[in-house]
Amino acid sequence: MPEASPPAPSVPPSPARPAAPAKSAPQKAMEKLGLVRDIDLALHLPLRYEDETRLTPLDQARDGDTLQCEGEVIESRIEVRGRRQLLVKLRDDHGAQLLLRFLHFYPSHQKTLAVGVRARVRGEIRVGFFGREMVHPSFRQVGEDTPLATSLTPVYPTSAQLPQAYLRKAIASALKRAPLDEVLPAGMVPKGLPSLRDTLQFLHHPPPSAGLSTLEDHTHPAWQRLKFEELLAQQLSQQRAQRERAELRAPVMRGRPGGLHEQLLAALPFALTGAQQRVAEEIAFNLARPQPMHRLLQGDVGSGKTVVAALAAAVAMDAGWQCALMAPTEILAEQHFRKLIGWLEPLGVQVAWITGSVKGKARQKMLDAAASGEAKLIVGTHAVIEDKVRFARLGLAIIDEQHRFGVAQRLALRRKLADGVPDDDGQPMEPHLLMMSATPIPRTLAMTYFADLDVSTIDELPPGRSPIVTRVFADGRRDEVIEKIAAAVADGRQVYWVCPLIEESEALDLKNATETHAELGAALPGQQVGLLHGRMPTAEKAAVMSLFSSGQMSVLVATTVIEVGVDVPNASLMVIEHAERFGLSQLHQLRGRVGRGSVASVCVLIYTGPLSDTGKSRLRAMAETTDGFEIARRDLDIRGPGEFMGARQSGAQLLRFADLQEDAPLLSAARALAPRLLDQHPRAAQLQVERWLGHKTEYLKA
Ligand code: ADP
Ligand code: MG
C-alpha cells in the first residue's frame, strides 16, 4: 500500500493531494446533456426568450398577455379555498392592482413578498370580472432603481437537475471564453450571413428590438448562419468518412454458379418480389467491390428484409467468408436463427447462435465454431460483438432493426469487425456492413443528408397480404374487444395482446400484463393464453414463443418484447392496450406483427382518456394509414423539433437546429462547399467538424 494513502476515512485528505473536487449535481446534469466544452455551451441555444427589458403598466395589460410589471406588496395572506393558497396583492406606481396566486408555496415566498416590499413579477395575466390576476408568476424583490435587463432573457432547454439560472450563468461565461474565430476562408460563407461570434452573441442575448417571431421561428439571419454551420459540419464529416471508406479494402464477394446463393433462391417457398430482387442486386453489386459496403436496407414491416439478408449472407459464404447477423433482442435473434436454419441447414451451412444467455459449454462450442471458421453464419444479439467473440474470416455484418442499436454498440461493432478480417497483403480490411431498418427515412433526404450511406428501399409488400384494419376503442369497451378475441380464436386464428412498458415502474408494468393474462385466461376457457415479458428467464421466453409460433397457444399477452420483427403469419388480431402511451413508430412496429398471412387482420388500439393532442394525432394517424413512410412523416410532424434533447442523447437525431426540408437551400450550399474545404482547406474542415461534433465524430461515421 503506498505510504501516502489516507489512513482513515475520518481524516480529511491532506492538502498536498487534494481529492478531485466532486462534481455538483448541475455539473453532472450538464455533462449528461453533452455540455462539456465551452463551445458546447456556446452552441446550446435558447428555446425561447422572455422580455424582461420593460415593465408594463397594469392598466394597459390585456387578458392573456405574458408581461413583467412592478409594484409594492400591499397585502399578503394565506387562504383555504378548497386548498391552501398564498394570495399577494401588488399595487403598481399608477395605483392599479394585481393579485398573485400561489397554490404551491414555501415560507420563503411569504418572506420575499412581504407587505411593503417592492417586487418585480412576470407571468401570464388574467383580466376578469374580479380584477387582474397572475397564477405562479416568477418574482423577485427590487429597489426603486433596480435596472431592467438590456437584452432579451434566454430560456434554455434543460433537465430537472439543472436549474435555468445556473445554466444561464454557465453559458454566459462560456460564451466569453469559447474559441469562435472564423474558421472558414473568406468568401466561403454564404452572402449576407453574420459571423459566428456575432451570431451566437445575438442569439444568446438579443437586443429588445429583435423581432421575437423571427428569432423563434428561426428565419433570422443569425439562425441561418448557425444552421449553415451545423449542416456544413455534418456534410464534412459524412463526406470525409465516405472518402476514408473509399480508401479502405474489403473482401470481394460473388455468388458461385450452383453455389449457396443459387441453391437458396431455388429452395425458397416463394418468389422474390420485384423490390426484393432490385435491392438484392444493389447489395450484390457492393459485395463484389473491394470497398466496404455501408448500406441501409429499409422497408416497411413485413416487406421481407430477412430473406434479402439471407441472400447477401449466401453470397458472402459462397465466396468463403463468414457472416454475422445481429438483432436487438433475443427473441428477434432467435427468430432469425430459426428461419435461417430452416433455409440454410438443408443446404449444409452450419449456423452458430450466440446471445447473452447461451452459457457454459454450449457457448464455448459456439465461440470455437466462430473462431475456427467452421460456423459460416453467426446469428445473435449484440453479444456477438462482445470482446470474447472472434471470427476467423468475417466478411459481412448484418444488423437488423439498426435504429435500436445504441451509439456505443455501433462503435464497438466497427472495432470488432475490423479485427475479424485478415489483411489483404498488409492492407487492413473491413467487412461489408448492411443495416436494416423498418423506420424509413425518405429516400431523397437519405441521399443528400447521409453522404456516407447507400440506401436500398423495399417499397412493395409480398403479394397476397390483406390490409390491416385499425380500430380505436376507449378502454370502457374492453369487453367488446375480448369478444372479438374469442371469435378470432374460435376461427383458429391467433392473437397478440400488448401491454405498455411503463419505464418508471417495471413492477406496475408486470402487474398490468399479469392481470390481463389472468383475465383473458378466464374469458377463454380451453384456450392456451401465454404471457411474455422482459423479466422472464430466456429459456421460458423461448418456450412461450415457440408454443405461440407453432400455433398451440392462441393468445399471447406480452410487453413490448415483441415490438420488432416477430413473425407468426397465423396471428391476425393485435390488441394494444394503453395505446396512448406508445410512440407512433412503436405502434406501427407492433401493428406490423399481424397482416403477415392471407387472412384479413385487425389491430385494435385501446386507449385510456383523457387524450393529449399528440396522443389523439398519433391514434388518428394509425387509423388512417398503414404506410410506414407516411407514418414516419407524421411522426416527425407530431413530435416536432422540440424533442431534440432526448433524441440527441439517444443519438437518434443528428441535427439540432437545421431542418432538412425547410433548410434545403442551406443543405445544398453546405453540400457543395464541403468537398472544396476538404480539398483546399483541410485544417479549416477539421476545425469546423471538431467545433460542432467534438467527440461525436467517430459515431457519425458509424
Ligand atoms: P421484415 O421486412 O419486417 O423483416 P420479414 O423478413 O420478417 O419482414 O418477412 C415477413 C414475412 O414475409 C415472412 O414470413 C417472410 O417469409 C415472408 N416473405 C418474404 N418475402 C416474401 C415473398 N417475396 N413472397 C411471400 N412471402 C414473403
Ligand atoms: Mg425484420
Side-chain angles (χ1 to χ4, degrees):
M1 206 160 104
E3 273 177 318
S5 298
S10 61
V11 176
S14 85
R17 302 182 56 207
K23 282 187 189 131
S24 67
Q27 272 169 330
K28 281 190 210 148
M30 286 210 305
E31 263 174 42
K32 233 177 156 182
L33 294 178
L35 305 177
V36 178
R37 307 168 301 165
D38 287 336
I39 188 71
D40 301 329
L41 283 154
L43 292 175
H44 191 69
L45 290 185
L47 275 180
R48 58 188 174 84
Y49 304 89
E50 284 174 356
D51 188 352
E52 296 177 343
T53 64
R54 51 202 169 103
L55 296 173
T56 306
L58 282 170
D59 54 11
Q60 289 171 21
R62 283 165 316 178
D63 188 37
D65 282 353
T66 294
L67 55 85
Q68 178 172 250
C69 59
E70 196 173 296
E72 189 188 325
V73 175
I74 55 170
E75 200 182 308
S76 165
R77 63 196 153 89
I78 291 175
E79 211 179 82
V80 182
R81 282 195 215 163
R83 60 195 290 186
R84 255 164 59 91
Q85 38 186 292
L86 172 65
L87 301 173
V88 174
K89 208 173 267 175
L90 203 72
R91 186 176 58 209
D92 79 359
D93 295 345
H94 308 278
Q97 294 190 4
L98 170 68
L99 183 70
L100 311 179
R101 188 189 294 277
F102 297 91
L103 303 170
H104 313 278
F105 59 95
Y106 297 102
S108 63
H109 280 62
Q110 282 169 278
K111 241 194 197 155
T112 312
L113 295 172
V115 172
V117 155
R118 191 172 175 82
R120 194 172 282 171
V121 304
R122 191 176 186 290
E124 186 180 326
I125 200 162
R126 287 278 153 224
V127 183
F129 187 66
F130 295 106
R132 302 176 196 89
E133 178 176 308
M134 271 185 196
V135 179
H136 286 195
S138 60
F139 60 88
R140 63 181 177 128
Q141 275 187 17
V142 288
E144 286 284 348
D145 47 8
T146 305
L148 285 163
T150 52
S151 56
L152 299 178
T153 308
V155 179
Y156 295 106
T158 185
S159 61
Q161 298 75 29
L162 182 56
Q164 188 64 232
Y166 184 98
L167 183 57
R168 248 179 223 155
K169 254 195 203 148
I171 290 177
S173 71
L175 192 57
K176 291 193 191 116
R177 291 186 303 260
L180 293 177
D181 290 339
E182 190 64 75
V183 299
L184 300 183
M188 286 202 171
V189 179
K191 288 205 179 56
L193 299 187
S195 75
L196 183 63
R197 187 182 296 281
D198 291 349
T199 291
L200 290 177
Q201 183 57 38
F202 179 87
L203 290 177
H204 284 289
H205 304 291
S209 60
L212 268 184
S213 61
T214 61
L215 277 178
E216 285 176 2
D217 74 10
H218 296 190
T219 54
H220 193 281
W223 271 114
Q224 297 287 306
R225 169 72 205 243
L226 198 72
K227 295 199 264 193
F228 173 73
E229 286 270 318
E230 176 177 47
L231 288 166
L232 181 61
Q234 186 276 333
Q235 285 295 306
L236 284 169
S237 100
Q238 288 274 322
Q239 293 188 18
R240 192 172 63 183
Q242 188 186 28
R243 288 177 179 205
E244 283 168 7
R245 191 160 54 85
E247 300 291 309
L248 293 172
R249 323 259 315 149
V252 172
M253 302 169 172
R254 287 194 185 85
R256 275 184 296 111
L260 263 183
H261 182 259
E262 282 186 7
Q263 292 172 33
L264 175 57
L265 267 179
L268 285 176
F270 47 74
L272 295 185
T273 62
Q276 283 171 320
Q277 265 168 29
R278 175 172 45 73
V279 300
E281 276 163 25
E282 288 165 0
I283 293 166
F285 171 80
N286 281 148
L287 295 179
R289 294 170 53 87
Q291 283 82 40
M293 169 168 75
H294 201 207
R295 189 173 278 281
L296 174 68
L297 170 59
Q298 56 175 14
D300 211 343
V301 283
S303 60
K305 295 184 288 295
T306 317
V307 67
V308 174
L311 288 166
V315 171
M317 293 185 279
D318 263 344
W321 294 88
Q322 284 172 300
C323 173
L325 174 63
M326 282 152 283
T329 65
E330 292 224 356
I331 287 189
L332 193 50
E334 165 143 13
Q335 222 179 227
H336 283 315
F337 181 63
R338 286 182 192 286
K339 200 167 251 179
L340 293 167
I341 285 186
W343 285 333
L344 292 169
E345 277 195 344
L347 307 178
V349 177
Q350 195 191 330
V351 185
W353 163 242
I354 301 182
T355 71
S357 64
V358 179
K359 296 216 162 75
K361 273 200 188 131
R363 185 179 182 83
Q364 197 50 51
K365 202 171 144 224
M366 297 292 177
L367 291 177
D368 292 345
S372 68
E374 202 184 328
K376 294 284 178 278
L377 180 59
I378 297 95
V379 182
T381 56
H382 49 86
V384 169
I385 51 179
E386 265 174 24
D387 281 346
K388 278 186 218 110
V389 187
R390 295 266 168 263
F391 300 97
R393 273 170 73 75
L394 182 64
L396 170 65
I398 303 174
I399 316 181
D400 194 17
E401 303 301 347
Q402 177 267 345
H403 65 284
R404 297 267 302 228
F405 274 94
V407 175
Q409 283 154 349
R410 268 181 276 175
L411 276 177
L413 177 73
R414 275 179 73 96
R415 279 195 295 269
K416 175 82 219 157
L417 296 183
D419 4 291
V421 192
D423 287 3
D424 178 15
D425 279 342
Q427 280 242 47
M429 288 218 277
E430 279 209 9
H432 297 286
L433 186 58
L434 178 65
M435 295 164 274
M436 304 197 280
S437 169
T439 311
I441 35 177
R443 195 180 172 78
T444 45
L445 189 154
M447 312 257 277
T448 46
Y449 179 64
F450 294 108
D452 188 36
L453 191 63
D454 297 317
V455 179
S456 291
T457 305
I458 305 185
D459 51 8
E460 175 187 2
L461 292 180
R465 300 272 169 88
S466 38
I468 307 170
V469 175
T470 300
R471 304 196 49 197
V472 181
F473 282 75
D475 62 357
R477 296 171 66 191
R478 205 177 159 94
D479 288 348
E480 279 175 61
V481 177
I482 293 176
E483 277 167 31
K484 272 181 185 296
I485 294 179
V489 168
D491 256 2
R493 300 283 150 216
Q494 288 168 277
V495 180
Y496 295 104
W497 182 299
V498 177
C499 301
L501 189 81
I502 306 164
E503 269 175 35
E504 313 85 74
S505 163
E506 242 184 293
L508 204 63
D509 184 21
L510 213 55
K511 177 164 168 281
N512 189 353
T514 325
E515 281 173 4
T516 302
H517 176 234
E519 179 187 1
L520 293 180
L524 302 167
Q527 295 294 343
Q528 267 217 51
V529 178
L531 176 63
L532 192 67
H533 60 77
R535 281 199 177 172
M536 275 160 57
T538 311
E540 216 174 293
K541 274 193 232 170
V544 171
M545 205 56 222
S546 88
L547 281 173
F548 191 71
S549 301
S550 66
Q552 284 160 274
M553 179 180 283
S554 350
V555 181
L556 181 61
V557 177
T559 57
T560 42
V561 286
I562 60 156
E563 183 186 338
V564 286
V566 174
D567 185 37
V568 180
N570 189 46
S572 66
L573 176 56
M574 161 70 64
V575 180
I576 304 176
E577 195 174 357
H578 280 298
E580 78 283 356
R581 295 195 191 152
F582 292 94
L584 192 48
S585 66
Q586 218 180 357
L587 288 172
H588 180 63
Q589 285 283 339
L590 285 169
R591 177 171 60 184
R593 298 311 113 218
V594 294
R596 294 179 162 245
S598 53
V599 70
S601 290
V602 177
C603 172
V604 173
L605 303 175
I606 305 182
Y607 69 89
T608 306
L611 284 177
S612 65
D613 285 348
T614 50
K616 273 183 211 151
S617 327
R618 279 195 213 120
L619 298 186
R620 189 175 317 123
M622 284 296 291
E624 284 173 5
T625 180
T626 51
D627 175 349
F629 281 85
E630 177 63 14
I631 295 267
R633 201 186 58 68
R634 295 213 196 177
D635 198 19
L636 205 69
D637 278 356
I638 295 172
R639 283 192 297 160
E643 290 210 345
F644 88 85
M645 295 293 284
R648 207 171 128 209
Q649 280 184 58
S650 67
Q653 195 176 334
L654 303 177
L655 286 176
R656 295 151 63 183
F657 304 119
D659 176 297
L660 290 168
Q661 250 142 26
E662 229 168 73
D663 301 317
L666 288 174
L667 175 60
S668 5
R671 195 171 168 223
L673 179 56
R676 280 173 59 204
L677 269 181
L678 288 171
D679 290 336
Q680 299 162 22
H681 305 277
R683 174 88 191 124
Q686 175 64 20
L687 286 171
Q688 179 72 11
V689 171
E690 270 169 20
R691 176 178 274 176
W692 275 89
L693 305 167
H695 50 272
K696 286 195 299 181
T697 356
E698 188 63 24
Y699 160 54
L700 287 170
K701 283 194 241 163

